[in-house]
Amino acid sequence: MAIEILMPALSPTMEEGTLAKWLVKAGDTVSSGDIIAEIETDKATMEFEAVDEGVIGHILVPEGTENVKVNVAIATLLEDGEEAGAAPAPSAATEAPAPAAEPAPATPAAVSEAVPVMNLAPDWPEGTELKQQTVREALRDAMAEEMRSNEDVFLMGEEVAEYQGAYKISQGMLDEFGSQRVIDTPITEHGFAGIAVGAAFGGLNPIVEFMTFNFAMQAIDQIINSAAKTLYMSGGQMGCPIVFRGPNGAAARVGAQHSQDYAAWYAQIPGLKVVMPYSASDAKGLLKSAIRDPNPVIFLENEILYGRSFDVPVLDDFTVEIGKARVWREGEDVTLVSFGIGMQYALEAADRLAEDGISAEVIDLRSLRPIDYDTVLASVMKTNRCVTVEEGFPVGSIGNHLSATIMERAFDYLDAPVINCAGKDVPMPYAANLEKLALVTTDEVVAAVKQVTYR
Amino acid sequence: MAAKKATKKPNVSGEELKEYYREMLLIRRFEEKAGQLYGMGLIGGFCHLYIGQEAVVVGLEAAAEEGDKRLTSYRDHGHMLACGMDPNGVMAELTGREGGYSKGKGGSMHMFSSEKHFYGGHGIVGAQVPIGAGLAFSDKYKKNNSVTFTYFGDGAANQGQVYETFNMAALWDLPVIFVIENNQYAMGTAQQRSTSSPDIYVRGEAFGIPGEIVDGMDVLAVKEAGEKAVMHCRAGKGPYILEVKTYRYRGHSMSDPAKYRTREEVQRVREERDPIERVREMLLTGKHASEEDLKAIDKDIKKIVNESAEFAKSSPEPAVSELYTDILA
Ligand SMILES: Cc1ncc(C[n+]2csc(CCOP(=O)(O)OP(=O)(O)O)c2C)c(N)n1
Ligand SMILES: [Mg+2]
């Protein structure tokens, strides 16, 4: 049987082209690699090489023909013993069957049809002994406990070892674990983030501390293109078990380049998990889970919260599952959804609203990827109103995304539009008065709730 | 390589020497005042003082000409004063007031002056380095014959973008002077703990960029090296590297207890290598100035600095409407 030579696709987007010139005629012997034709695409004229050996049987498409579809037979090649000029095979286009336009399956979490159920499970068993601990201590304990139980966990970053951490999170860790496992790096974020990603590919479990997440912008290519996407790109062969952690968001009076909240940025990236704790128990339980997680986890802390104390359970191995929200306060009239330091405003607002007889349910998302949609939706279906609170920029915020999800899945339950309270749409100013205005405030949250409850 | 000393007989006049003394003293007193105001809560956030490093900018500014550009990191107060920016405007920016160079919106780390060709004030370690080469690119493009002084620290010298910049600056013969202010520490990390080679300037060799080490505690040595670098750049020979050995007396920023070095180490530099004391002695032994003359200068400086503090306290906070201005042009 004669072999058909097909019109080649010469670029990823080429659908048809002009057969500009034949460099062979029927009866010519060709071997693989010989140039047999010139083909014009919309971008260039390309030479077309023979792949197989044989004798050209028929030229099916004469030179000069325009709009020749990709995969149409343009010539035949005879195999040994076949005769040139033999009846040409019908030149019906042997187009590759167009892939059936199958719809992409819906995102599992966001559009599930099931009735959402709220996560009201306590993080620790009733009666567990509690101690007061700062977020700073909780983070240190989480890292130290995981490093004790897993040799492959190590910490690297600027000033994490001898200086004990720029914000003193790694206090005492160099002494306990030595300089093999608590490693000071030069100020080379892109480089050491990449080295940590490589170490994770190599089977280790790095914890990378960014002095602040503002500086992780230097490293964001390694975080997103290397850490987040490799599992997918390798067809599941090779993942990146790594934690990138450090303070995120505004501290106090440190100006535009040192005050950004990256929650929404990282939450956008498939392949990452993103966690942003508010309390010390969540800081501890989530960080331990993050270190054990086989995926890259972005762990967003907050400098202002480091010194705050909260109840932390006294348990040998306390973890909090990534992807579960926590209901801090149950209520009937409105759902306040927040995370990280935004919780401070949400909780304060709830206190003040209670004085006015408005009962707010306050949800701490804790995880921003995956998000516990069910807890949010179940709450909104009960209260019929929602206000989101976060410190980051307002455009493309987590609140925007929640609003869209609520609209899609709980539209009929809403008695008022969802309001997103966020930071202002400006770089962080340095001046004390302007900085206050740029951040979200409890007053704004209270006002938003009054608006959605029509008070 | 040993730091180059100034050639034995400095070819500077007594008047010039007095001017350098004045400028260095202004920076020191200004920074001491800023430290005080920080302690009083009038300055917030990060505040990185330049005390100890004064000879670096003063020496290099002495080698600069009108139209030359400069930019640096967050440790920027000294650079601004040395290039002639108004102490009132700098101090008022530190307190976040309307009278500040950025109307209070930038703060200690982020100030600029188009008039004085001061291009910031950069908070991200290393980010100013390619920007400095870009300024030099604009000069070359416009055939301005100006040079750009691009200052960065020993810590910043490890950032990857520095070497991307070295390559392009050499490739395109950009008139940029890379000034590595090697104060031997990047926050709490001593240079030898972060840097694979003992000297940093030698890294330029790989790109064909000449460079040298300079004693940054000697304003005349800095000036001399600066002049040589400037000449190289203006002659169209491309970039030049000055690794200036200096020392910061204070912590990295106001909140750094600086436990990574001994008090004796700091004390020794202060006593043996202080850049201001050195010039003071030259002035006196060379009979360019009397004790009285110097006292008069001190008094004058104190007045300028006190006035800047008063201005910075009394200037109002920016108007609330400023929150939304200057976001887009
Ligand atoms: C990209 C980036 N990483 C980390 C920081 C935090 N940081 C600010 S200054 C500094 C040390 C820089 O040292 P060096 O370059 O030697 O300059 P010096 O402070 O000594 O003038 C660090 C780590 C930052 N601002 N930017
Ligand atoms: Mg330094």
Side-chain angles (χ1 to χ4, degrees):
Chain A
M1 249 304 276
I3 297 169
E4 286 182 338
I5 298 175
L6 305 179
M7 180 72 168
L10 297 168
S11 80
T13 51
M14 174 175 167
E15 290 176 357
E16 57 181 37
T18 298
L19 211 168
K21 191 169 179 194
W22 278 110
L23 300 173
V24 292
K25 57 184 188 308
D28 286 359
T29 302
V30 296
S31 49
S32 75
D34 288 352
I35 297 163
I36 57 172
E38 285 177 5
I39 288 168
E40 268 173 38
T41 69
D42 55 344
K43 295 185 194 78
T45 300
M46 310 277 288
E47 292 176 337
F48 178 38
E49 294 177 3
V51 180
D52 298 303
E53 279 181 0
V55 174
I56 298 290
H58 270 273
I59 302 285
L60 302 176
V61 176
E63 65 181 30
T65 311
E66 293 178 7
N67 306 328
V68 183
K69 295 255 183 291
V70 166
N71 279 338
V72 168
I74 54 176
T76 57
L77 193 66
L78 304 178
E79 287 175 294
D80 277 353
E82 280 183 300
E83 236 177 83
S91 83
T94 49
E95 266 180 87
E102 229 184 294
T107 317
V111 206
S112 115
E113 290 300 320
V115 178
V117 181
M118 217 185 267
N119 174 39
L120 289 169
D123 286 337
W124 52 80
E126 209 177 319
T128 304
E129 186 193 338
L130 299 174
K131 67 173 172 189
Q132 284 272 304
Q133 224 184 6
T134 62
V135 171
R136 173 178 282 115
E137 293 160 343
L139 291 168
R140 195 250 344 261
D141 286 359
M143 288 193 286
E145 287 176 19
E146 292 306 297
M147 284 177 71
R148 276 173 215 136
S149 63
N150 181 354
E151 285 272 302
D152 291 338
V153 179
F154 69 96
L155 172 67
M156 77 192 301
E158 293 158 24
E159 309 288 359
V160 297
E162 296 199 6
Y163 199 82
Q164 314 278 314
Y167 296 99
K168 297 287 175 280
I169 304 303
S170 49
Q171 190 114 42
M173 288 179 62
L174 175 64
D175 282 349
E176 181 176 351
F177 299 105
S179 57
Q180 285 260 45
R181 298 181 70 195
V182 181
I183 303 164
D184 278 328
T185 63
I187 312 168
T188 56
E189 288 84 2
H190 196 202
F192 70 71
I195 285 177
V197 168
F201 289 174
L204 299 181
N205 299 87
I207 305 170
V208 176
E209 174 173 309
F210 289 115
M211 194 176 281
T212 79
F213 261 92
N214 301 283
F215 316 139
M217 277 209 283
Q218 301 276 328
I220 203 162
D221 179 68
Q222 290 292 3
I223 298 172
I224 292 175
N225 270 328
S226 307
K229 297 178 183 172
T230 296
L231 183 69
Y232 196 81
M233 295 188 301
S234 69
Q237 298 174 71
M238 191 188 295
C240 190
I242 194 169
V243 177
F244 295 105
R245 50 156 290 272
N248 166 65
R253 307 288 310 281
V254 292
Q257 291 185 335
H258 284 69
S259 303
Q260 198 166 325
D261 172 10
Y262 293 90
W265 281 43
Y266 290 110
Q268 225 233 340
I269 305 301
L272 292 179
K273 289 191 178 181
V274 183
V275 170
M276 188 153 156
Y278 166 60
S279 72
S281 63
D282 285 345
K284 180 169 185 188
L286 286 166
L287 184 52
K288 282 168 67 79
S289 296
I291 295 168
R292 291 177 198 183
D293 202 285
N295 297 289
V297 182
I298 306 290
F299 197 92
L300 302 168
E301 302 161 10
N302 185 287
E303 189 190 335
I304 292 168
L305 294 177
Y306 279 153
R308 299 267 170 90
S309 293
F310 295 82
D311 282 342
V312 176
V314 182
L315 291 171
D316 283 346
D317 190 19
F318 167 67
T319 59
V320 172
E321 187 185 338
I322 295 175
K324 290 268 181 265
R326 170 172 173 188
V327 180
W328 276 71
R329 185 174 171 137
E330 290 184 58
E332 302 299 324
D333 300 328
V334 63
T335 301
L336 289 177
V337 187
S338 188
F339 49 91
I341 197 167
M343 282 299 295
Q344 175 180 310
Y345 309 109
L347 289 170
E348 268 174 29
D351 281 342
R352 277 173 45 190
L353 290 162
E355 291 166 18
D356 292 340
I358 299 173
S359 149
E361 183 144 284
V362 183
I363 297 174
D364 179 356
L365 286 178
R366 308 195 282 196
S367 295
L368 303 176
R369 176 173 274 271
I371 286 184
D372 184 351
Y373 296 105
D374 276 12
T375 294
V376 174
L377 289 165
S379 174
V380 172
M381 287 174 178
K382 175 175 75 174
T383 64
N384 312 113
R385 297 169 161 91
C386 181
V387 169
T388 67
V389 186
E390 69 199 285
E391 236 184 39
F393 293 134
V395 178
S397 63
I398 299 286
N400 290 171
H401 171 64
L402 287 177
S403 306
T405 307
I406 293 167
M407 185 181 71
E408 282 177 25
R409 291 183 56 192
F411 186 72
D412 293 336
Y413 292 84
L414 283 176
D415 286 344
V418 178
I419 294 184
N420 302 144
C421 294
K424 307 305 177 295
D425 200 12
V426 303
M428 185 62 72
Y430 168 73
N433 64 330
L434 298 186
E435 186 182 59
K436 273 200 204 98
L437 293 171
L439 293 165
V440 65
T441 62
T442 303
D443 283 347
E444 287 164 358
V445 179
V446 169
V449 169
K450 298 232 161 129
Q451 201 177 323
V452 299
T453 52
Y454 307 106
R455 306 264 184 135
Chain B
M1 179 175 153
K4 280 235 179 80
K5 300 279 170 217
T7 27
K8 271 280 163 300
K9 280 227 168 60
N11 56 347
V12 284
S13 66
E15 279 315 302
E16 280 172 285
L17 212 49
K18 249 194 275 185
E19 187 49 35
Y20 305 152
Y21 177 76
R22 243 188 86 85
E23 288 174 12
M24 289 195 288
L25 199 65
L26 172 64
I27 295 173
R28 181 153 308 175
R29 297 284 171 264
F30 182 95
E31 292 292 66
E32 287 165 355
K33 181 60 83 180
Q36 272 177 21
L37 297 186
Y38 192 95
M40 294 161 67
L42 284 156
I43 296 173
F46 293 133
C47 182
H48 310 85
L49 302 183
Y50 196 63
I51 296 177
Q53 304 184 206
E54 297 90 345
V56 183
V57 277
V58 170
L60 287 172
E61 283 297 340
E65 278 175 28
E66 179 52 39
D68 288 344
K69 301 178 170 63
R70 66 276 295 155
L71 77 172
T72 186
S73 67
Y74 43 82
R75 196 178 302 287
D76 55 358
H77 313 162
H79 302 70
M80 293 187 278
L81 297 176
C83 75
M85 287 168 65
D86 178 9
N88 286 6
V90 178
M91 198 67 98
E93 189 60 38
L94 297 186
T95 54
R97 304 302 172 91
E98 186 186 86
Y101 265 98
S102 302
K103 302 184 234 174
K105 290 155 78 167
S108 164
M109 299 187 284
H110 312 299
M111 270 182 260
F112 306 82
S113 163
S114 35
E115 184 200 348
K116 299 291 179 192
H117 312 294
F118 179 72
Y119 289 86
H122 296 266
I124 301 303
V125 167
Q128 74 272 28
V129 179
I131 299 172
L135 289 165
F137 182 97
S138 74
D139 278 327
K140 183 167 185 198
Y141 194 95
K142 294 181 182 167
K143 303 190 170 64
N144 275 340
N145 208 27
S146 297
V147 305
T148 299
F149 294 86
T150 302
Y151 295 87
F152 55 101
D154 47 292
N158 289 316
Q159 281 286 30
Q161 55 185 323
V162 170
Y163 300 96
E164 298 181 19
T165 304
F166 279 9
N167 181 46
M168 286 181 276
L171 189 66
W172 299 331
D173 287 331
L174 301 180
V176 53
I177 302 173
F178 297 110
V179 184
I180 303 166
E181 290 198 67
N182 185 348
N183 60 12
Q184 299 164 49
Y185 291 91
M187 216 170 248
T189 304
Q191 188 209 329
Q192 69 274 12
R193 293 207 299 118
S194 72
T195 309
S196 60
S197 55
D199 291 330
I200 303 172
Y201 81 96
V202 294
R203 293 175 177 182
E205 280 171 15
F207 302 91
I209 307 177
E212 61 191 89
I213 287 202
V214 186
D215 179 359
M217 307 308 266
D218 176 352
V219 71
L220 297 183
V222 176
K223 174 177 180 261
E224 208 175 280
E227 283 166 347
K228 186 170 157 200
V230 165
M231 229 157 61
H232 177 91
C233 284
R234 285 207 222 283
K237 294 182 185 165
Y240 202 91
I241 299 173
L242 297 175
E243 179 177 348
V244 188
K245 293 273 199 193
T246 180
Y247 199 80
R248 73 167 149 71
Y249 294 179
R250 298 292 189 93
H252 168 73
S253 69
M254 294 302 296
S255 53
D256 171 24
K259 293 208 184 109
Y260 42 81
R261 60 185 189 190
T262 61
R263 200 176 291 235
E264 292 72 53
E265 177 184 310
V266 183
Q267 207 46 37
R268 205 173 328 116
V269 180
R270 274 175 179 273
E271 278 164 16
E272 295 170 11
R273 298 179 60 207
D274 187 77
I276 299 180
E277 271 312 307
R278 186 192 294 238
V279 174
R280 192 184 150 83
E281 255 174 58
M282 287 171 81
L283 284 169
L284 291 173
T285 53
K287 305 228 178 319
H288 301 298
S290 65
E291 289 278 359
E292 269 72 66
D293 296 338
L294 296 184
K295 269 206 193 106
I297 294 180
D298 292 4
K299 213 173 134 198
D300 196 31
I301 297 288
K302 213 170 255 165
K303 187 160 163 273
I304 295 173
V305 168
N306 284 337
E307 272 173 20
S308 77
E310 280 318 306
F311 178 77
K313 287 186 221 170
S314 58
S315 174
E317 289 194 309
V320 164
S321 59
E322 282 293 342
L323 185 62
Y324 288 104
T325 62
D326 307 321
I327 294 165
L328 289 175

